Amino acid sequence: MDVPVKVEVRGGAEVVLTWEDGTVTVVTARELRAACPCAFCRDPGGMREVERILESDRPVRIAAARAVGNYALGFTFDPDGHETGIFPFTLVRDLGGTPA
């Protein structure tokens, strides 16, 4: 499994992952929030909440990022404080449009 050699959150607006082969993946906070894989966000009620947040005029930002083991990242998002999603590196890489 690919593990990034560097993870950087830029201004709360995006996360940048640099891979061992030199490939760089950039994913916006908005894209991450929309793709949250947690049970709440995949439930119909949670999906409506995510849509409401994404349709709001308030910007979606990454308030915090953390490693989850050696296979994933966890994020805390503004404006809603959501933090339960676990984003495997493969998911983040796919969101950035970079083939795994």
Side-chain angles (χ1 to χ4, degrees):
M1 175 202 325
D2 281 341
V3 176
V5 295
K6 182 178 178 185
V7 176
E8 177 185 5
V9 176
R10 289 188 185 159
E14 61 190 14
V15 64
V16 181
L17 287 81
T18 304
W19 305 90
E20 190 171 89
D21 67 1
T23 302
V24 175
T25 301
V26 179
V27 183
T28 68
R30 182 178 195 77
E31 292 168 323
L32 288 166
R33 186 65 186 93
C36 182
C38 81
F40 174 78
C41 291
R42 298 297 113 205
D43 178 74
M47 287 179 174
R48 284 190 295 276
E49 178 67 15
V50 172
E51 287 174 14
R52 185 188 64 74
I53 290 164
L54 296 175
E55 291 171 357
S56 167
D57 290 338
R58 296 180 69 187
V60 176
R61 305 196 49 80
I62 299 168
R66 63 202 165 280
V68 177
N70 63 351
Y71 69 96
L73 295 169
F75 299 98
T76 303
F77 295 98
D78 281 338
D80 62 336
H82 185 72
E83 63 182 4
T84 59
I86 296 174
F87 294 78
F89 294 135
T90 54
L91 171 61
V92 179
R93 192 167 187 161
D94 289 345
L95 288 171
T98 305

